[in-house]
């Protein structure tokens, strides 16, 4: 019965999966921080400390920084600090979602040419637009590598299932599908990074967002049916349909029975499939989604607590405040005063 339902829902899932992804990325306030180009020649090493050490310097309003790197020509070695390096070729993408220290180098044994304080100063000045968009690394050796570096801010709390679904280091290979948009985005980004044009700073920030989202979409499209997690759930027609319904109307008085009926399946089938992919029941997911939406409304819109409570499906301000503090650790007023830290 599950198999037949999934097959009949494929068109629905395909139409809804990007909307759910877009909605969640909007909810966690994905924001470009900086984008720059590195031209490197052997021997060279480009490294970054844990992002928590410079996040406040480059994007004070964000809770967390994500970094990604796209090798546009040549090749190099890359990995997390203290971990064995991997070989990256042109077209490969390296994503460091959880703020770990990392490096790119060629050869992998190349020695660092800048220290911790110099790294912090570089990121602060680059984010402020005080440095050129192209950075040169290395010693004019025979091996040349070019790569784009992007940094983005986002919410980490109370609920970011996209981030939770990603490993400490994500490697995304070049796409083979017709109509792959990433090469076009990369070409446009390279043009913007090489030329000084009016509005270039804001274009680079939006390009950082676009490139990252397209990388995540590419990763999503390559997930196998055996994978589980939030992104893998978007690949399952039934789970994707349930997620679309919850994200379309998070304030609705949902029950498992009502959600199953609208998703076109039974209560038991939906519960089993949702827990398998998402690791939690649908109603628990809905509570976390509501708290994330509320956390954004409290900080961005300055709305009264009672209005935020109603906007995310609570009839009582007191019930909402209790639920919010249980999930987030702060009352709604405290969260607003802290600026969503």
């Amino acid at each position: 019965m599950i198999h037949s339902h999934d097959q009949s829902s494929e068109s629905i899932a395909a139409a809804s999966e990007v909307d759910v992804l877009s909605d969640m990325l909007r909810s966690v306030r994905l924001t470009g921080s900086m984008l720059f180009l590195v031209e490197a020649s052997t021997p060279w090493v480009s490294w970054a400390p844990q992002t928590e050490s410079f996040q406040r310097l480059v994007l004070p309003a964000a809770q967390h920084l994500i970094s990604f790197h796209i090798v546009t020509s040549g090749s190099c070695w890359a990995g997390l600090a203290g971990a064995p390096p991997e070989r990256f070729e042109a077209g490969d993408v390296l994503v460091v979602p959880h703020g770990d220290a990392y490096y790119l180098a060629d050869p992998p044994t190349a020695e660092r040419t800048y220290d911790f304080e110099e790294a912090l100063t570089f990121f602060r000045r680059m984010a402020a637009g005080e440095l050129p968009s192209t950075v040169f690394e290395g010693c004019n050796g025979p091996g040349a590598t070019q790569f784009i570096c992007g940094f983005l801010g986002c919410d980490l709390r109370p609920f970011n299932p996209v981030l939770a679904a990603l490993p400490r280091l994500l490697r995304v290979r070049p796409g083979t599908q017709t109509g792959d948009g990433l090469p076009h985005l990369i070409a446009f980004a390279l043009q913007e990074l090489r030329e000084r044009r009016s509005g270039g700073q804001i274009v680079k920030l939006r390009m950082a967002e676009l490139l990252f989202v397209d990388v995540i979409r590419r990763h999503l499209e390559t997930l196998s049916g055996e994978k589980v997690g939030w992104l893998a759930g978007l690949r399952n027609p039934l789970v994707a349909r349930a997620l679309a319904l919850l994200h379309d109307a998070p304030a609705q008085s949902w029950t498992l029975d009502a959600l199953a009926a609208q998703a076109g399946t039974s209560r038991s089938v939906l519960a089993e499939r949702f827990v398998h992919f998402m690791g939690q029941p649908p109603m628990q997911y809905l509570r976390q989604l509501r708290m994330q939406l509320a956390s954004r409304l409290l900080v961005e819109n300055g709305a009264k607590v009672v209005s935020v409570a109603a906007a995310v499906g609570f009839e009582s301000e007191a019930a909402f405040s209790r639920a919010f503090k249980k999930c987030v650790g702060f009352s709604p007023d405290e969260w607003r005063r802290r600026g969503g830290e």
Side-chain angles (χ1 to χ4, degrees):
M1 181 173 67
I2 296 175
H3 179 75
S4 63
H5 176 94
D6 286 356
Q7 292 296 316
S8 66
S9 301
E10 284 181 355
S11 61
I12 295 174
S16 65
E17 66 179 19
V18 174
D19 289 338
V20 174
L21 178 60
S22 297
D23 186 67
M24 182 52 73
L25 292 176
R26 184 166 49 247
S27 176
V28 299
R29 300 190 296 174
L30 187 71
T31 307
S33 170
M34 53 184 150
L35 188 77
F36 56 92
L37 180 67
V38 176
E39 300 271 7
S41 56
T42 54
W44 62 272
V45 59
S46 177
W47 69 277
Q50 292 182 327
T51 56
E52 65 179 17
S53 65
F54 61 91
Q55 178 261 315
R56 293 292 181 188
L57 297 176
V58 303
L59 204 62
Q63 294 178 11
H64 181 70
L65 274 185
I66 301 168
S67 63
F68 68 91
H69 309 270
I70 304 172
V71 181
T72 53
S73 66
S75 60
C76 65
W77 299 84
L80 300 181
E86 296 181 38
R87 184 73 171 174
F88 281 74
E89 306 289 345
D92 286 346
V93 183
L94 166 72
V95 184
V96 185
H98 301 290
D100 294 277
Y102 65 89
Y103 64 93
L104 296 91
D106 189 24
T109 55
E111 296 184 2
R112 296 179 178 181
T113 57
Y114 55 91
D115 61 21
F116 177 78
E117 292 299 329
E118 289 172 319
L120 299 191
T121 299
F122 168 81
F123 285 121
R124 177 185 58 77
R125 296 190 64 198
M126 181 60 74
E130 298 174 359
L131 298 176
S133 296
T134 300
V135 178
F136 296 93
E137 295 279 6
C139 300
N140 298 316
T145 306
Q146 180 191 81
F147 54 96
I148 293 173
C149 298
F151 290 80
L152 307 103
C154 69
D155 287 349
L156 193 60
R157 298 180 298 124
F159 185 49
N160 188 331
V162 182
L163 210 58
L166 298 176
R168 289 179 61 199
L169 185 150
L170 173 64
R171 179 177 188 160
V172 181
R173 302 282 190 174
T176 58
Q177 296 179 344
T178 303
D180 182 8
L182 188 56
H184 302 288
L185 288 176
I186 292 172
F188 181 59
L190 288 173
Q191 180 182 355
E192 287 294 322
L193 290 167
R194 288 167 172 159
E195 300 177 11
R196 296 183 65 89
R197 302 174 63 190
S198 297
Q201 188 69 9
I202 191 67
V203 169
K204 284 182 286 186
L205 297 185
R206 294 298 172 261
M207 283 302 305
E209 298 169 21
L210 287 171
L211 288 166
F212 176 75
V213 173
D214 208 64
V215 166
I216 295 303
R217 289 199 301 189
R218 178 181 288 185
H219 173 59
L220 171 62
E221 290 165 358
T222 61
L223 290 176
S224 67
E226 292 76 31
K227 295 290 186 180
V228 296
W230 192 84
L231 289 168
L234 293 181
R235 296 281 288 170
N236 179 267
L238 176 55
V239 175
R241 176 60 176 160
L243 288 171
L245 290 166
L246 295 176
H247 279 257
D248 283 345
Q252 185 170 317
S253 299
W254 289 106
T255 64
L256 182 57
D257 287 333
L259 183 62
Q262 290 207 37
T265 189
S266 70
R267 171 192 175 107
S268 60
V269 167
L270 176 60
E272 182 276 331
R273 187 55 58 91
F274 202 95
V275 170
H276 172 76
F277 281 98
M278 312 302 288
Q280 60 184 330
M283 296 303 104
Q284 182 179 337
Y285 177 89
L286 176 61
R287 286 194 295 272
Q288 291 179 307
L289 175 61
R290 286 172 169 175
M291 294 303 102
Q292 179 60 39
L293 295 173
S295 71
R296 191 188 73 196
L297 292 172
L298 287 165
V299 173
E300 290 185 348
N301 295 6
K304 294 182 178 179
V305 175
V306 65
S307 300
V308 174
V312 296
F314 283 80
E315 296 182 0
S316 162
E317 178 182 350
F320 164 71
S321 295
R322 287 193 299 270
F324 190 88
K325 186 168 185 177
K326 182 179 180 180
C327 177
V328 180
F330 301 104
S331 71
D333 284 330
E334 288 174 318
W335 179 263
R336 192 192 335 251
R337 285 197 298 270
R338 296 171 68 93
E341 294 181 354

